[in-house]
Amino acid sequence: MVLVLGVSAGAGGARAVLTHSDQPHLPPIDRCRVPRRAGGGVEEAAFEAIRQMRRSADRRDELITGTAVTCRCPLHADAIRAGAGHLPLTVVSEPLAQLRYLRFTGQLPEDGTVLLYDLGSSGLTITHVDCRTDSILSSKRSTVLGGDGFDALLRWQLARDGVLTDKVTCRRHREALSVDRVVTAMDDNSGGRAVLTRSDIAELCAAGIHHSVSFVHQTIEQTETPPDAIVLLGGCVRSPSIQETLAESIDLPLIYDPEPEAVSARGAVLLATGRPAAELRGARATLGDLTPGTVDRRKLIAALAVTAALGATIAGVLVMDQDAASGHDGTSPTPAEIVGIPPADSFR
């Protein structure tokens, strides 16, 4: 059997999904989540996730034939590429991977536009996408809200109630409330207890979620293109209270995958299969290209054919070992490929 590995890397750490190439939507053979170490780089968590999954494949006496890692930030992409060494992998734009999986599972409309509402541990990213061309119309990021902030608020509330706990335990309580209506937090040192409910989480998150609604409206106003739906992504949107608040505040249909935090990694699985690059519809535009339909298709096809040999940058297509800002340092290209990662100035 052919095994492929998809990894999503971000400020909070990395998630990895090991599965067969044609079954990214089914329960994986194995998976892992590696939190980012304080002071550690994003590449550290990504490569630890890869090591764990490679050991898992070795125990099954199977071979991983393809590996793809998703990134949103160009700096993260460069760090992973630099650390890859001789490990063959593809670094993929996170929205490209998300779109690929949503289309594979039939959740993405064929026409019109959608908003990708990605609420993770470190912040919120909203990306407005043309479903027909996979062009990025607009992308905005805010660190005003995110899982880390929600955990800090929950930890403060527990401390006020006499229960001292750590960050990891707070996150576990918050995630448990996505499934259970009530959880009990305990202080092992003092013996104190506090009952937490979904209503408590809703109140703590309310201000941030309402801020995100205005963020959504700003994105729509910028592109002047009304979206047809909003796709909820990231582990934080598992919270029923957050889903309900968004549904009440934004007059758009909601698209929700049962595992919103795994969509990026599952999309990476699809992009790690080694399918012809011509199938990657998302290669038509990068996040840095805010004007859809401006890329010549013939140039793209020609660029794809020679990328491996040239190692040059092709806007919105495959990029191998590019040092645009500082110039080439004379080192040999690594086996890492970069697909659809936006330029740094698109994150201003």
Side-chain angles (χ1 to χ4, degrees):
M1 299 295 288
V2 177
L3 289 186
V4 289
L5 175 61
V7 181
S8 62
R15 293 178 184 273
V17 172
L18 180 66
T19 187
H20 294 122
S21 58
D22 59 346
Q23 299 176 348
H25 57 303
L26 299 180
I29 294 172
D30 203 352
R31 66 170 74 194
C32 70
R33 174 183 175 183
V34 180
R36 186 176 178 180
R37 180 180 59 84
V42 67
E43 72 282 2
E44 180 181 304
F47 288 122
E48 174 58 27
I50 292 174
R51 282 191 290 270
Q52 290 186 23
M53 293 298 94
R54 288 170 70 91
R55 288 196 294 266
S56 177
D58 288 343
R59 288 193 296 269
R60 292 170 170 79
D61 196 25
E62 294 188 86
L63 177 67
I64 297 177
T65 60
T67 300
V69 182
T70 72
C71 290
R72 186 177 297 276
C73 172
L75 296 178
H76 292 173
D78 288 343
I80 291 173
R81 179 192 60 177
H86 295 291
L87 177 68
L89 58 81
T90 302
V91 183
V92 184
S93 164
E94 187 168 52
L96 173 61
Q98 292 167 343
L99 290 170
R100 192 69 188 276
Y101 181 71
L102 292 168
R103 179 169 289 109
F104 177 84
T105 55
Q107 300 179 79
L108 195 70
E110 293 185 2
D111 296 307
T113 68
V114 296
L115 288 179
L116 304 180
Y117 180 103
D118 192 345
L119 183 56
S121 62
S122 63
L124 169 68
T125 303
I126 296 179
T127 310
H128 197 174
V129 186
D130 185 307
C131 296
R132 185 177 60 83
T133 64
D134 286 353
S135 299
I136 306 300
L137 306 179
S138 177
S139 183
K140 287 181 174 290
R141 181 165 175 81
S142 172
T143 56
V144 173
L145 74 161
D148 291 342
F150 296 155
D151 293 340
L153 289 172
L154 180 58
R155 192 175 181 184
W156 172 81
Q157 176 171 307
L158 289 173
R160 188 184 58 181
D161 294 338
V163 175
L164 300 181
T165 186
D166 57 27
K167 179 180 177 180
V168 174
T169 304
C170 275
R171 172 149 298 188
R172 187 171 65 248
H173 291 327
R174 179 174 60 81
E175 292 176 346
L177 287 171
S178 298
V179 179
D180 304 319
R181 292 186 176 275
V182 179
V183 298
T184 301
M186 298 183 60
D187 187 329
D188 293 334
N189 294 322
S190 68
R193 295 189 176 194
V195 175
L196 296 171
T197 67
R198 283 184 181 175
S199 296
D200 295 327
I201 294 296
E203 291 177 5
L204 291 174
C205 300
I209 298 303
H210 285 299
H211 163 77
S212 77
V213 172
S214 65
F215 206 53
V216 167
H217 292 313
Q218 289 176 14
T219 303
I220 297 173
E221 291 172 2
Q222 177 179 337
T223 59
E224 299 182 347
T225 303
D228 297 293
I230 182 168
V231 184
L232 303 185
L233 301 167
C236 290
V237 300
R238 275 185 173 271
S239 169
S241 60
I242 291 179
Q243 295 176 30
E244 292 167 5
T245 301
L246 291 173
E248 294 170 357
S249 304
I250 302 175
D251 188 21
L252 287 172
L254 299 184
I255 298 174
Y256 177 77
D257 188 85
E259 289 189 300
E261 72 281 5
V263 169
S264 296
R266 291 182 184 274
V269 165
L270 288 168
L271 295 171
T273 58
R275 295 179 182 180
E279 294 183 10
L280 305 184
R281 294 178 57 190
R284 292 183 59 181
T286 71
L287 279 177
D289 181 9
L290 300 183
T291 306
T294 59
V295 183
D296 188 300
R297 180 184 295 271
R298 290 173 300 176
K299 292 180 180 179
L300 286 173
I301 295 174
L304 286 168
V306 300
T307 298
L310 297 179
T313 302
I314 306 296
V317 201
L318 290 176
V319 183
M320 292 189 65
D321 201 30
Q322 184 249 353
D323 296 300
S326 58
H328 200 285
D329 59 7
T331 59
S332 300
T334 71
E337 298 175 348
I338 298 183
V339 182
I341 302 295
D345 59 3
S346 67
F347 284 81
R348 291 179 295 180

